Amino acid sequence: MSTGKDIDEERLLLLERLNTLNPAELHAFDLQLTLLRTAFESYKRETVFKPCPSFLLGLDDDQLRNVLRLPPVTVFISIFDQLSDLQILLLNWLLTRDTFKLNVVPVESALSLVKHQLSVPSPEFAFEINYNEIRNERFHDLTQNDRYKTFYAYHGTRLDNLHSILHIGFLGHMNKLSLFGSGTYFSLEPSVSLHYSPFASVWANSLLGKRLSCLLLCEIIDHPDHVKCAIENGTTTNQERRIVSDTQAGAVPEKYVVVTSNELVRVKYILIYSEPNDLIQLNQMTRSRLRTFFSANRYNLYLIFYFILLLLIGFFNSNLFKFYWRLFKKRSNHLFSGSWHLTQ
C-alpha cells in the first residue's frame, strides 16, 4: 500500500488526467473500466481477471467489490474527494497502462477493412487499439520485413474474456472449439463471429449501455505454417493451407480462419454492440441467423428445391392428379351453370 505522500501525488496525477479527457476518451476509459469489472464478476475470474493490479492482490471479494463500486466516469471529478485510496490507484493504473491506447473511431472505417457478403447490424461504438512502439515492432518483426502480409478477420468472444485478451493476447490452447484443429478461430463474415459474442450485463453506470456484446476485428500475419484458411484457387498447395494437423472434421471451411500461433494475431478494433429492446433484438438475431443459414447451406437448399420441383412436375403429370382435376372442373362447371340459371 502506498504512503500518505504517495497517495496525495496519485490524487493530483489522477485529477490532472481526468481534466484532460475529452468525451471520446471518457468512453474509451469507460470501456477499460467496464472490461475490468466484467472480468472480475466472471465465473472464470481466475483466468480472465488478468492482469490484476498488485495493490488489489490479497483483497477478499467484498473489498474488491467496494473498490469497483464507482459512479459514472463523467462525474469522477465532481465526487473526486469521495474516492477511496484504492479507487484512486485503480483509476490511475487504467489510465497509465502504456502497452496500448484506445481511440474512438467511426464504425464505418472499421467495418470497411474486410469485404463481407452478409449484412451485419451496425455496432454503437468502434474503438481502435494503438499499441506502443515495442509491441508494434515485435509484431512487425514477425512479418519478416513484410515477407508475410497481414489481413483482417473477425473474432467473437464473451465480454469477460476481453480484458485479458487486450493485455495478454490470445491463448489459442485454451479454446474449447477445435473441430477443425487447435487454434484461435476467426471469420471473414462478422455475422458468423457475432454468434460467439453473447450479450452480457455490465455495471449499471457504464456510458456504453446496460448489456453489451463485443466483436473483435483482428490483424493476422499470413504465415502459411500457422494460418489455415481457404484460398481462392483450388490447387493442391492451397488445399494444404486449409488443413490443421489435429483436425477432426477435415479442411477449414470457406470464410473461416484458424490461427495456431498466438503471436501472429492481435486485436486492432473493438466493435461494441449495446442491446436494444427485446423485440428489436429478437428480429435482428432472427434475420442474422437466417442469412447465415442460407449462405452456409446454399448448395443443399438448391438441391432440395430441385428435388421438390421434380416431385411437383411428376405429381402434376400423374393420372391421379389428372382425374381429380377433371372432376374439379366438371363440378365447377355445374355450379357455375346452376348459379347462372338462377340469375336469369
Side-chain angles (χ1 to χ4, degrees), residues 188-211:
L188 301 178
E189 289 290 346
S191 57
V192 174
S193 296
L194 268 177
H195 289 293
Y196 302 96
S197 299
F199 280 92
S201 298
V202 298
W203 66 305
N205 292 324
S206 174
L207 303 179
L208 306 176
K210 305 302 181 186
R211 286 175 57 80

Side-chain angles (χ1 to χ4, degrees), residues 153-310:
Y154 294 95
H155 178 77
T157 187
R158 290 168 52 95
L159 194 68
D160 54 0
N161 293 328
L162 191 46
H163 171 73
S164 63
I165 289 176
L166 288 181
H167 289 274
I168 300 174
F170 287 99
L171 300 175
H173 62 281
M174 298 184 66
N175 292 337
K176 296 180 180 179
L177 180 64
S178 58
L179 185 62
F180 299 100
S182 301
T184 305
Y185 283 61
F186 302 85
S187 177
L188 301 178
E189 289 290 346
S191 57
V192 174
S193 296
L194 268 177
H195 289 293
Y196 302 96
S197 299
F199 280 92
S201 298
V202 298
W203 66 305
N205 292 324
S206 174
L207 303 179
L208 306 176
K210 305 302 181 186
R211 286 175 57 80
L212 304 178
S213 169
C214 66
L215 182 63
L216 308 182
L217 183 54
C218 303
E219 186 177 12
I220 301 171
I221 298 175
D222 193 14
H223 193 296
D225 294 337
H226 301 288
V227 178
K228 304 300 182 180
C229 56
I231 309 298
E232 288 294 331
N233 54 59
T235 66
T236 304
T237 303
N238 287 331
Q239 184 66 17
E240 294 176 356
R241 282 292 309 271
R242 300 179 60 180
I243 303 295
V244 182
S245 59
D246 59 347
T247 179
Q248 302 175 30
V252 175
E254 291 186 6
K255 302 297 183 181
Y256 282 82
V257 180
V258 179
V259 180
T260 61
S261 174
N262 299 324
E263 296 180 334
L264 297 177
V265 58
R266 64 177 181 177
V267 182
K268 276 300 291 179
Y269 295 89
I270 305 172
L271 307 179
I272 295 294
Y273 291 83
S274 180
E275 188 175 57
N277 66 62
D278 294 341
L279 181 59
I280 295 176
Q281 171 69 13
L282 179 61
N283 290 337
Q284 287 180 343
M285 289 180 62
T286 301
R287 289 196 296 269
S288 177
R289 287 174 179 172
L290 285 174
R291 285 192 295 266
T292 303
F293 173 79
F294 284 124
S295 176
N297 299 278
R298 187 181 305 168
Y299 179 72
N300 292 332
L301 290 173
Y302 285 155
L303 289 179
I304 292 173
F305 175 77
Y306 181 68
F307 180 70
I308 293 175
L309 185 62
L310 291 178

